[in-house]
Amino acid sequence: MAQSHIQQADVIVLGAGIIGVSVALQLQRRGRSVILVDRRDAGEETSYGNAGLIERSSVVPYGAPRELSKLMRYAFNLSTEVRFDWRQMPRIAPWLWQFWRESAPKPLARAAADMQPLIERSVSEHEALMSEAGALPQLRRAGWLEVYRNEKTFEQARGAATALHPFGLNYEVLDRKALQQREPHLTNAVVGAVHWLDPATVADPGALVKAYARHFVERGGVFLRGDALHLQREETGWSIAAGSARLEAPEAVVALGPWTDKISRSLGYKVPLVMKRGYHVHFEAEGDALLNHPVVDADGGFVLAPMAQGVRLTTGVEFASRGSRPSPVQLDRTEPLARQIFPLRQRIEPNPWMGSRPCLPDMRPVIGRGFRHKGLWFAFGHNHHGLTLGPITGRLLAEMMTGEKAFTDPAPYAMERFG
């Protein structure tokens, strides 16, 4: 049997989604030698399947609803936004209870304040990395549309947008006529929209992550295939097998998204991580119909986004176990609703895509050291905003790891908050 050769670096980063690739790039920019490890190519898991939003306007995290009517619809799987696999309820009930408590007005306001330093820099940090990686043409600065089907919910949306005035967001309220001018091929099923102007979008988030990873390699970084579960603690740091190589480094970063708990649990960290599964499928548009912006149907509970592959229909949240079979019920429910607002032809793919969002109940990610181990760091749990917060997460963690002054207090994102 051939002996494995040893490959050394300053840092091993586990996970080549948007978070891990961003961490690797930001460390590399600060002079660290980095080996990036994943079982697949870059950007092929959770980072691939989102709506392509760099969500500068989501200054208030997505909390649990407080209205009894909506909670009941969720509980009986009557909503297109949320679906439960009830076999999972005993396992996730404590998480849901903590999430509901954290969604009360005062805790939610604290979460918004803690997340603001990350959210407000999300677009500018992407722009910086895109510029370096030659990917800046992928960035669109046209924002996204939040559309409404009835006047009551549209009026509530206007009030909610006004309440966000302290955050300094830019938006326009569009009546039906103004919306038709902006999106001529949306139907009269929608009565108006809020156009959020600060966010940016990309038409192929998976390709963007690949562009970042390619830039990392072109700058001298190493990207290898390997299983993160093989991470081992050594006297001098951390090691992992990757093919015929044995990788060694004084420091390791775990950025495995919804799979992070497989390592964290084995190392003694009890983190309440839950996966929210989501689905998407692409459609051709009818005739010469075009969609100029991502469109969030707030009443229908789905997103239509113009993507490189076609018009992408993405669903809300499904609470199900990691290994359970896909159940794209939400896609089947929302497709007729999507056809009501935009002229879609047939599905492009024979089977929908499914991915998992890594979610923590206090709606803040973990960005920081593993307090039980020297040289171990974590970056995960970005809920619905992994693509949005990848580069700024990488920057903050790299500043912490290299002793640079952090641009914001990292305490709200510390692993220690879970004990």
Side-chain angles (χ1 to χ4, degrees):
M1 180 183 299
Q3 288 188 333
S4 62
H5 67 277
I6 295 175
Q7 195 163 346
Q8 296 180 326
D10 296 323
V11 186
I12 298 169
V13 176
L14 303 179
I18 184 60
I19 304 298
V21 171
S22 296
V23 169
L25 269 173
Q26 296 282 10
L27 285 167
Q28 187 184 59
R29 292 170 83 187
R30 289 162 175 79
R32 296 295 193 267
S33 60
V34 182
I35 301 175
L36 182 64
V37 179
D38 201 303
R39 61 184 180 180
R40 301 184 64 177
D41 287 338
E44 295 192 350
E45 294 283 3
T46 307
S47 299
Y48 167 78
N50 54 73
L53 302 179
I54 302 172
E55 237 305 58
R56 170 65 182 87
S57 64
S58 283
V59 291
V60 178
Y62 296 130
R66 315 303 288 176
E67 306 92 340
L68 180 60
S69 60
K70 183 171 279 192
L71 288 171
M72 293 302 291
R73 284 179 58 80
Y74 286 1
F76 289 98
N77 280 337
L78 299 176
S79 170
T80 55
E81 299 175 76
V82 176
R83 182 178 181 274
F84 289 97
D85 179 345
W86 283 104
R87 293 170 296 182
Q88 290 301 303
M89 188 51 64
R91 184 180 66 85
I92 66 173
W95 188 97
L96 290 171
W97 171 241
Q98 188 177 352
F99 178 50
W100 190 81
R101 292 178 61 192
E102 294 284 348
S103 300
K106 287 185 178 179
L108 192 63
R110 289 194 293 270
D114 286 343
M115 292 302 295
Q116 186 172 358
L118 305 182
I119 292 290
E120 67 185 6
R121 293 169 173 83
S122 57
V123 175
S124 60
E125 288 296 325
H126 263 289
E127 280 187 313
L129 285 191
M130 285 185 181
S131 182
E132 289 184 11
L136 199 56
Q138 295 188 38
L139 189 71
R140 296 190 66 217
R141 296 298 299 264
W144 61 276
L145 295 168
E146 187 175 32
V147 304
Y148 291 86
R149 293 170 177 253
N150 67 74
E151 292 290 350
K152 180 180 179 181
T153 54
F154 186 31
E155 182 61 32
Q156 291 171 344
R158 284 194 286 256
T162 302
L164 296 178
H165 177 73
F167 292 96
L169 299 178
N170 296 296
Y171 66 91
E172 294 180 21
V173 176
L174 309 177
D175 60 16
R176 179 177 275 149
K177 181 179 179 181
L179 177 57
Q180 283 291 310
Q181 292 175 345
R182 212 150 291 189
E183 286 289 354
H185 295 106
L186 288 182
T187 72
N188 287 331
V190 292
V191 301
V194 178
H195 187 176
W196 297 101
L197 300 169
D198 297 298
T201 63
V202 293
D204 194 335
L208 177 63
V209 180
K210 288 181 184 299
Y212 287 165
R214 188 164 53 248
H215 180 56
F216 165 75
V217 173
E218 289 170 351
R219 288 172 52 106
V222 177
F223 183 14
L224 298 173
R225 295 285 186 93
D227 188 341
L229 295 181
H230 295 159
L231 182 70
Q232 294 184 348
R233 182 79 175 99
E234 307 290 348
E235 288 186 9
T236 56
W238 300 89
S239 71
I240 187 172
S244 62
R246 174 185 170 86
L247 314 180
E248 296 181 348
E251 296 183 291
V253 177
V254 181
L256 294 168
W259 296 276
T260 297
D261 61 337
K262 286 192 170 185
I263 285 186
S264 62
R265 280 200 310 264
S266 69
L267 294 172
Y269 299 93
K270 296 181 179 180
V271 181
L273 184 69
V274 160
M275 294 185 304
K276 295 180 183 178
R277 299 205 307 194
Y279 300 82
H280 83 230
V281 69
H282 295 98
F283 294 84
E284 295 177 351
E286 288 279 6
D288 61 352
L290 292 174
L291 194 63
N292 300 311
H293 308 80
V295 171
V296 177
D297 187 327
D299 296 323
F302 63 88
V303 180
L304 284 178
M307 290 289 184
Q309 302 94 325
V311 179
R312 180 178 289 183
L313 169 62
T314 69
T315 69
V317 170
E318 180 189 47
F319 288 97
S321 67
R322 191 193 312 273
S324 64
R325 295 179 61 184
S327 177
V329 173
Q330 289 164 297
L331 274 178
D332 294 336
R333 288 181 178 177
T334 55
E335 181 178 334
L337 299 175
R339 292 182 180 280
Q340 291 174 5
I341 70 168
F342 187 79
L344 299 170
R345 295 181 67 188
Q346 68 272 16
R347 295 184 179 188
I348 293 175
E349 305 103 332
N351 298 307
W353 178 90
M354 184 191 77
S356 300
R357 310 172 184 99
C359 298
L360 295 165
D362 65 355
M363 294 162 281
R364 302 159 176 85
V366 166
I367 307 171
R369 67 174 64 250
F371 57 91
R372 297 181 184 278
H373 300 86
K374 182 180 179 181
L376 183 64
W377 304 82
F378 288 91
F380 69 96
H382 291 74
N383 294 277
H384 296 260
H385 296 312
L387 178 67
T388 295
L389 298 177
I392 192 61
T393 294
R395 174 182 165 182
L396 179 58
L397 190 64
E399 288 171 348
M400 297 170 69
M401 292 178 67
T402 59
E404 186 178 337
K405 180 177 173 56
F407 71 86
T408 190
D409 180 7
Y413 325 116
M415 187 82 123
E416 289 92 328
R417 71 186 192 268
F418 297 117

